[in-house]
Amino acid sequence: MPNEEFQLPPSRNPFTVPEGYFDTLTERIMRQIPEETTTQKAVTVPLWRRYGFRAAAAVIGIIMGLGALALFNQNAILTPQDNATATIETVGTSQQTDAIDQVADYLMCDNHDMYAYLSGE
């Protein structure tokens, strides 16, 4: 066997096409297509319909979460004894003046500059 050489079979095309097949191919395909085709109109779904309920649920969840957070933080800061004696603190005029003075110092402007700015000069 080592001395035998392997030879391929002679090349020939095993597939054949009947005579006149491609001459009538177009007519046969056109006969298979229905004459009246129905077209379907594309339906576009608005974005709010697709995600409306999800977005509403998310907003409600965020609002409820922030409300619960505020409620729990309020209870954590004020104990029941503190809640009974809690008073509302108002910002005194000295604290307001100090804040305005700090802003004026930061902006490096004096009273004359503020008056000129406010009067529109």
Side-chain angles (χ1 to χ4, degrees):
M1 265 207 162
N3 292 338
E4 291 181 25
E5 288 187 24
F6 180 73
Q7 290 184 354
L8 292 173
S11 64
R12 62 183 171 97
N13 190 358
F15 303 104
T16 58
V17 178
E19 293 292 328
Y21 178 78
F22 289 108
D23 295 338
T24 60
L25 180 65
T26 307
E27 295 170 7
R28 284 183 287 153
I29 291 175
M30 293 304 287
R31 275 186 272 155
Q32 292 177 357
I33 298 175
E35 290 185 25
E36 190 174 309
T37 59
T38 59
T39 58
Q40 294 180 350
K41 185 177 180 181
V43 178
T44 56
V45 179
L47 188 62
W48 64 269
R49 272 208 178 153
R50 273 190 268 172
Y51 301 111
F53 294 116
R54 293 179 191 140
V59 168
I60 290 172
I62 289 171
I63 291 172
M64 290 179 68
L66 290 175
L69 183 67
L71 180 67
F72 290 131
N73 280 341
Q74 180 184 13
N75 289 339
I77 293 172
L78 297 176
T79 61
Q81 291 109 6
D82 292 339
N83 199 5
T85 60
T87 58
I88 299 174
E89 294 184 25
T90 58
V91 178
T93 55
S94 64
Q95 290 175 343
Q96 289 175 349
T97 307
D98 290 342
I100 292 172
D101 287 340
Q102 288 176 356
V103 170
D105 289 341
Y106 180 76
L107 296 175
M108 292 190 282
C109 60
D110 57 359
N111 290 341
H112 179 53
D113 293 335
M114 283 190 211
Y115 176 76
Y117 177 73
L118 293 174
S119 65
E121 293 179 4

